[in-house]
Amino acid sequence: MFYYVKGRVAHLAPNLAVIDCGGVGYACRTTSYTLSSLQAGQEGILYTHLNVREDAMELYGFATENERSCFQMLIGISGVGPKAALSILSATTPEGLATAIITGNEKALMVAQGIGKKIAQRIILELKDKLAKGQLPMAEENYGGTGITVIPQDKTSEATAALAVLGYQPVEITAALKGIDLENLALEEIIRQALRKMVK
């Protein structure tokens, strides 16, 4: 319904940003990372997700489209609601989340408040499973076209898989990885640099 809201930042509170758009204040639930990018009284833009329930409609806002995509991906997992998704994205960046999923690092997710081992394992399992089943836009040739799950061991393949988890197409990923020092940079930094190139 709303792709983004843009206007003066009227109010900031823990996990909440109010954006004044033409005299209407939109209350957006959000993450600590997004809050850190906003300044009260200044203009801000939040990419939004409208969550509709039987008893309420809540607007969620994020500083980047990547962060919103991660939120939407997380709440699509059984047992992960908006509150848990915000908690995870307040504890890690989109690239950190993608790295944790591809490398199976459940501890990186468990640092988020309210996220236990079972939920962390479920997030990793379900998103890896979607990747393996082709429900995420991963290039078949990276796995030999077999349809069999093979967790990539080199950083190039890991970065490619992590970016696919975030919803990017193979052609976009290949172009974004060009020119990045894949041998010497840490996986999360490779993903971060690729994301910067894709959002330009």
Side-chain angles (χ1 to χ4, degrees), residues 44-114:
I45 180 170
L46 295 180
Y47 296 94
T48 55
H49 172 85
L50 182 63
N51 191 57
V52 180
R53 302 180 309 182
E54 288 184 7
D55 58 343
M57 288 199 317
E58 292 182 313
L59 195 61
Y60 293 83
F62 305 93
T64 67
E65 292 180 84
N66 287 326
E67 194 178 23
R68 178 180 60 183
S69 294
C70 286
F71 174 81
Q72 292 170 331
M73 179 175 63
L74 286 168
I75 62 174
I77 297 171
S78 175
V80 180
K83 185 177 179 180
L86 285 185
S87 180
I88 292 168
L89 292 171
S90 288
T92 188
T93 59
E95 55 267 23
L97 174 62
T99 302
I101 291 163
I102 294 303
T103 59
N105 186 0
E106 60 193 46
K107 290 182 179 179
L109 302 181
M110 289 168 62
V111 299
Q113 186 176 0

Side-chain angles (χ1 to χ4, degrees), residues 106-183:
E106 60 193 46
K107 290 182 179 179
L109 302 181
M110 289 168 62
V111 299
Q113 186 176 0
I115 302 301
K117 187 171 184 177
K118 286 186 179 180
I119 290 293
Q121 288 176 334
R122 184 182 300 160
I123 290 169
I124 290 169
L125 179 65
E126 287 201 21
L127 291 177
K128 277 186 178 179
D129 190 47
K130 285 183 179 180
L131 184 63
K133 290 178 179 177
Q135 294 173 13
L136 294 172
M138 185 67 211
E140 257 190 8
E141 57 266 30
N142 288 314
Y143 297 104
T146 61
I148 298 172
T149 307
V150 179
I151 300 305
Q153 296 302 314
D154 64 277
K155 284 193 288 186
T156 303
S157 296
E158 286 182 333
T160 300
L163 290 164
V165 166
L166 293 177
Y168 288 99
Q169 300 292 334
V171 173
E172 295 176 296
I173 295 168
T174 300
L177 291 176
K178 284 183 180 177
I180 295 176
D181 188 354
L182 300 171
E183 289 187 12

Side-chain angles (χ1 to χ4, degrees), residues 5-9 19 21 37-39 42-46:
V5 292
K6 182 179 182 181
R8 184 178 62 86
V9 180
I19 307 295
C21 302
S37 71
L38 299 172
Q39 188 174 346
Q42 301 297 313
E43 187 174 84
I45 180 170
L46 295 180

Side-chain angles (χ1 to χ4, degrees), residues 174-193:
T174 300
L177 291 176
K178 284 183 180 177
I180 295 176
D181 188 354
L182 300 171
E183 289 187 12
N184 299 312
L185 291 175
L187 178 59
E188 191 166 334
E189 181 58 28
I190 292 170
I191 297 168
R192 183 177 291 113
Q193 289 192 19

